């Protein structure tokens, strides 16, 4: 069975500084990895995904994530944080088996960007 | 496409009443998921369907919860009778078979008093 861990409940950064939101995963076989963002009173919105290929994946709003197979990690990064990036971020994983559509979400990390 | 549509956005009901949450997935998506989000437990998968057939309902908390998908464009999650501990935000999501992520609806905030 697959699982995902987000070790930090909260991340605080100053506007303009780089940000990292951490994620590690466990899955049998090759993983499909995702990041979602949730703004207040909204559903989860897709940010980016890793399926195969280049380990550095670029997504919406200037976010990127790096797949590291040896460390089983998929950390979310942005070079320069904005106050508007403040939200709840979820990492998710599912196995690459054709009939496996059971996605597991992490507990979420609340990102606060201060002016 | 209008995305995944959930209704109602907010529901306040008294304990013991029946509650029905509704979801319209994205046209062409063959998977539909119901999630519950609370502060204490985070995002929990309740049940998911493939081609209108329930595949895994192991996350449904108890017999008071039931879900149906009578056709490809509509699903319901019913709680009968409702209890205060059912208060949460309930999300519906849909997906296509393959290398895709999920598209979430805006959720239904349920409050049982």
């Amino acid at each position: 069975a697959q699982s995902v861990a987000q070790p930090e409940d909260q991340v605080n950064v100053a506007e303009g500084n780089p940000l990292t939101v951490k994620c590690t995963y466990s899955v049998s076989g090759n993983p499909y990895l995702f990041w979602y963002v949730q703004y207040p009173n909204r559903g989860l919105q897709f940010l980016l995904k890793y399926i195969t290929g280049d380990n550095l994946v670029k997504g919406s709003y200037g976010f990127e994530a790096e797949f590291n197979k040896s460390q089983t990690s998929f950390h979310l990064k942005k070079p320069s944080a904005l106050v508007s990036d403040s939200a709840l971020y979820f990492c998710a994983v599912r196995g690459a088996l054709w009939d496996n559509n059971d996605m597991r979400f992490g507990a979420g990390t609340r990102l606060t960007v201060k002016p | 496409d209008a995305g995944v549509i959930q209704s109602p956005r907010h529901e306040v009901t008294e304990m013991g009443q029946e509650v029905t949450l509704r979801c319209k997935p994205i046209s062409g998506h063959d998977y539909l998921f119901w999630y519950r989000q609370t502060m204490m437990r985070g995002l929990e998968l309740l049940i998911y369907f493939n081609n209108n057939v329930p595949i895994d309902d192991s996350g449904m908390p108890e017999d008071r919860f039931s879900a149906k998908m009578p056709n490809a464009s509509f699903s319901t999650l019913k709680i009968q009778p409702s209890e205060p501990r059912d208060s949460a935000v309930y999300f519906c999501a849909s997906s296509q078979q393959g290398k895709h992520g999920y598209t979430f609806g805006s959720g239904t905030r349920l409050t049982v008093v």
Side-chain angles (χ1 to χ4, degrees):
Chain A
Q2 51 263 28
S3 65
V4 62
Q6 294 180 242
E8 301 158 315
D9 293 336
Q10 177 127 5
V11 171
N12 298 316
V13 299
E15 187 174 32
N17 283 1
L19 70 87
T20 298
V21 183
K22 295 180 180 177
C23 172
T24 58
Y25 67 90
S26 173
V27 68
S28 299
N30 294 322
Y32 290 166
L33 295 156
F34 304 82
W35 275 102
Y36 289 82
V37 60
Q38 184 180 27
Y39 298 102
N41 301 314
R42 302 291 297 275
L44 279 69
Q45 297 177 33
F46 171 80
L47 268 183
L48 51 80
K49 66 181 179 183
Y50 170 83
I51 302 298
T52 187
D54 194 346
N55 289 345
L56 186 63
V57 178
K58 294 187 183 297
S60 307
Y61 312 121
F63 283 92
E64 58 189 28
E66 186 168 12
F67 170 61
N68 188 318
K69 188 172 183 178
S70 63
Q71 297 185 4
T72 61
S73 67
F74 189 58
H75 301 331
L76 181 70
K77 299 181 180 183
K78 186 172 182 179
S80 179
L82 301 173
V83 173
S84 58
D85 292 331
S86 298
L88 191 57
Y89 290 80
F90 290 93
C91 182
V93 64
R94 52 169 280 230
L97 296 175
W98 181 246
D99 61 349
N100 182 351
N101 217 297
D102 182 11
M103 184 122 67
R104 298 291 171 175
F105 286 83
T109 298
R110 186 166 298 281
L111 173 67
T112 301
V113 181
K114 298 181 179 180
Chain B
D1 198 317
V4 176
I5 300 173
Q6 291 186 247
S7 64
R9 287 297 307 273
H10 303 275
E11 177 79 41
V12 180
T13 190
E14 291 185 348
M15 182 173 62
Q17 296 297 306
E18 178 180 295
V19 175
T20 299
L21 312 182
R22 298 172 175 80
C23 176
K24 176 179 169 57
I26 290 176
S27 177
H29 282 192
D30 48 5
Y31 283 84
L32 184 140
F33 306 83
W34 281 102
Y35 284 87
R36 179 172 67 176
Q37 186 179 36
T38 60
M39 288 291 291
M40 291 295 293
R41 301 173 70 94
L43 200 61
E44 301 174 276
L45 176 64
L46 300 177
I47 184 172
Y48 77 92
F49 297 82
N50 178 217
N51 292 323
N52 314 338
V53 176
I55 302 301
D56 183 356
D57 66 354
S58 59
M60 296 286 260
E62 45 196 278
D63 292 345
R64 297 184 297 106
F65 285 69
S66 63
K68 294 181 179 180
M69 192 165 185
N71 58 62
S73 59
F74 184 65
S75 176
T76 60
L77 178 67
K78 185 178 294 186
I79 308 172
Q80 166 63 13
S82 58
E83 297 182 2
R85 59 193 171 118
D86 301 330
S87 298
V89 181
Y90 291 81
F91 288 104
C92 176
S94 69
S95 173
Q96 284 179 290
Q97 178 69 286
K99 305 173 182 179
H100 305 284
Y102 298 176
T103 301
F104 282 80
S106 297
T108 295
R109 182 175 295 277
L110 173 65
T111 304
V112 183
V113 298

